[in-house]
Amino acid sequence: MNCQREREAWPAVGYTAGNFRAGNDAEFLKKVVSACVPFIGFQRSLNAIAIIGECSDKIE
């Protein structure tokens, strides 16, 4: 997996790649992040969706 993000986002990239390997798709992960917006905040949800999009492009 060669998803490129800032150093602080690397764990999130690893978790995202692991979710793809476990069989979850980008649509499902985006729905999960959208449901968590009130808890994690808008900016973090945007970052998470960007990581999901970036990693899904690399995998597919």
Side-chain angles (χ1 to χ4, degrees), residues 3-37:
C3 298
Q4 300 295 321
R5 297 295 291 170
E6 302 89 30
R7 181 175 295 269
E8 63 191 39
W10 284 359
V13 172
Y15 294 136
T16 303
N19 268 287
F20 283 125
R21 278 185 243 128
N24 297 322
D25 62 350
E27 182 180 340
F28 174 75
L29 293 176
K30 288 178 183 178
K31 287 180 183 179
V32 170
V33 170
S34 297
C36 293
V37 170

